[in-house]
Amino acid sequence: MILPGSTLGVLGGGQLGRMFGQAAQSLGYRVHVYEPAADCPASAVANRTFTAPYEDAEQLAAFARSCAVVTYEFENIPVAPLQAIAGLTQLHPRPEVLEVCQNRLREKRWLKREGFPHVPFAEVEAGGDLAAAIRSIGVPCVVKTADFGYDGKGQQKVTDETTLAAAVRAFAGARAVVERYVDFSCELSVIVARSATGETRAFPVAENIHTRHILDLSLVPARVPDAVAAEAVALATAIAERLGLVGLLAVELFLGRQGQLQVNELAPRPHNSGHWSIDGARTSQFEQHVRAVCGLPLGDPGVREPSVMVNLLGDVWRDPTGPAPQSPDWSVVLRQPRAKLHLYGKATARVGRKMGHFTVVGPTLDAALGEARAIKTRLDA
Ligand code: AMP
């Protein structure tokens, strides 16, 4: 067990690292952050920040030696240097887990091999025949880059010969995955924690609404039958166990029109769809992450009150494409007693950039959703 007073290391200095650091410090830990970019959101709450590339084996080793355990907030980290630091300190999740989850092809092959429900797909190697893969899956389908994709970046929907030709041009030479387009009734996610002791606890299922491929709202508890929620939790827990994961795993799922669940993506880290837990759960996902990697007893992830989390993208800033975007009037959120505002301290707002979020809790999910939507409309006005 790694006790409070020890130093925890986090690879990646974005908002997830920042909120991990805040939770770790509340429990009395020290926090070291490793991030290539200067002035990252997590550095503001870190006891020490290592600013160096992920390929810098020397800096990574110095970072690792300064920490009792290292974890990630970001999965697009080259695996080779991580394997090197795994011998210097505890590293959770294991680099092998990251290797599966950071590449769509490996992730999908793994889900298929292990027998977990997933969206049918075809593989295209670099320079391979994308058009043939699209024809084998059929339209509509979605073409995604195999490496380093997130938030809909590097993906394109194909519906006919014109969009097929456009995808062939856009993905020329890239490794890709072609997936059947899923006509889902909703998108769900489950965040499960697995501790170094093998204990697992899953957060209640979140219902996620995306706008332009980026998470817009998360509603908890999800508006799905209890049996579906139980199946989603069982699936996520089984995946975490099969991966031998220590830390947090977010499992994104599609719920089909006939009630069937299919895994879309895995992320071995805290997840945007778990931010509601800071204000709406008995234990936040960030505290749970700390507990899991330190081998502490896991906290109760239960819902305190139905919650709706709304992402705040740079789009809500005034003139977000201009030279000096202006932040909106935050009193619109702050005046509401049931709303909590979280800003990530990012200096520059850009369209599509996650700048913060707010969570509204309520006596019912409908009440929280109504208030969240009203606040968002006023911010957008
Ligand atoms: P991803 O980066 O794979 O999580 O995709 C981002 C979002 O795009 C998902 O949350 C879905 O809203 C949408 N999407 C991705 N793949 C598919 C698919 N095969 N069928 C339908 N929608 C999809």
Side-chain angles (χ1 to χ4, degrees):
M1 207 186 277
I2 295 165
L3 294 173
S6 311
T7 300
L8 314 185
V10 60
L11 287 156
Q15 61 268 19
L16 302 174
R18 177 183 173 99
M19 291 183 273
F20 172 87
Q22 289 165 335
Q25 289 179 339
S26 289
L27 282 170
Y29 290 96
R30 294 171 52 80
V31 177
H32 288 182
V33 169
Y34 192 103
E35 158 70 45
D39 287 331
C40 61
S43 66
V45 302
N47 297 86
R48 183 168 170 199
T49 305
F50 291 73
T51 309
Y54 289 123
E55 293 78 8
D56 188 333
E58 220 165 275
Q59 279 299 300
L60 273 175
F63 166 71
R65 284 199 192 94
S66 75
C67 301
V69 60
V70 169
T71 189
Y72 331 97
E73 64 106 50
F74 175 71
E75 69 253 44
N76 292 341
I77 299 172
V79 166
L82 289 186
Q83 266 153 349
I85 72 166
L88 302 174
T89 189
Q90 292 189 49
L91 179 64
H92 295 310
R94 304 177 294 131
E96 292 76 13
V97 173
L98 198 70
E99 198 168 13
V100 168
C101 298
Q102 72 181 190
N103 172 282
R104 281 190 207 275
L105 257 181
R106 278 197 292 272
E107 188 173 288
K108 294 202 162 282
R109 281 184 196 146
W110 186 87
L111 289 167
K112 189 172 172 180
R113 197 182 68 222
E114 300 294 331
F116 292 110
H118 57 278
V119 182
F121 67 98
E123 303 182 7
V124 188
E125 286 304 328
D129 191 345
L130 179 59
I134 293 173
R135 292 205 173 91
S136 76
I137 290 291
V139 291
C141 64
V142 186
V143 184
K144 302 179 176 182
T145 50
D147 303 283
F148 301 146
Y150 66 100
D151 283 349
K153 290 194 172 70
Q155 61 173 268
Q156 218 160 299
K157 188 173 171 185
V158 174
T159 50
D160 55 19
E161 287 299 318
T162 311
T163 44
L164 185 152
V168 167
R169 277 195 304 278
F171 287 84
R175 284 206 307 163
V177 180
V178 181
E179 276 180 22
R180 186 166 301 156
Y181 185 79
V182 182
D183 178 29
F184 51 77
S185 65
C186 69
E187 291 189 75
L188 304 174
S189 61
V190 180
I191 296 169
V192 54
R194 186 164 178 276
S195 151
T197 63
E199 182 188 7
T200 59
R201 299 295 297 261
F203 282 88
V205 181
E207 177 181 340
N208 301 320
I209 301 172
H210 292 79
T211 304
R212 279 178 275 119
H213 298 287
I214 302 179
L215 183 66
D216 192 1
L217 303 167
S218 286
L219 285 55
V220 184
R223 297 168 296 181
V224 294
D226 289 349
V228 169
E231 192 188 331
V233 165
L235 197 51
T237 306
I239 293 173
E241 277 173 350
R242 197 74 61 88
L243 282 169
L245 169 121
V246 172
L248 289 190
L249 178 74
V251 179
E252 293 183 47
L253 299 150
F254 295 126
L255 177 61
R257 306 247 168 229
Q258 269 73 51
Q260 74 282 20
L261 287 168
Q262 287 174 308
V263 176
N264 173 30
E265 269 206 300
L266 307 176
R269 53 166 172 79
H271 195 256
N272 196 168
S273 67
H275 291 358
W276 68 275
S277 62
I278 301 173
D279 302 302
R282 294 203 180 86
T283 306
S284 81
Q285 64 165 340
F286 300 102
E287 179 180 335
Q288 198 76 312
H289 189 180
V290 172
R291 288 175 181 239
V293 298
C294 291
L296 305 179
L298 295 178
D300 175 1
V303 174
R304 270 196 281 128
E305 277 183 291
S307 306
V308 174
M309 189 274 332
V310 182
N311 262 342
L312 292 167
L313 304 182
D315 310 47
V316 297
W317 264 239
R318 307 272 166 269
D319 196 16
T321 54
Q326 300 235 305
S327 65
D329 175 8
W330 295 126
S331 67
V332 166
V333 190
L334 297 168
R335 263 200 300 269
Q336 302 303 321
R338 306 185 72 86
K340 284 284 181 195
L341 178 65
H342 300 262
L343 294 171
Y344 308 147
K346 296 184 184 178
T348 323
R350 283 194 301 272
V351 170
R353 188 175 199 201
K354 291 175 180 170
M355 302 297 290
H357 70 270
F358 67 89
T359 300
V360 179
V361 297
T364 63
L365 189 63
D366 276 351
L369 183 58
E371 190 166 327
R373 287 214 153 108
I375 292 172
K376 185 70 194 324
T377 304
R378 268 176 264 142
L379 280 177
D380 284 336

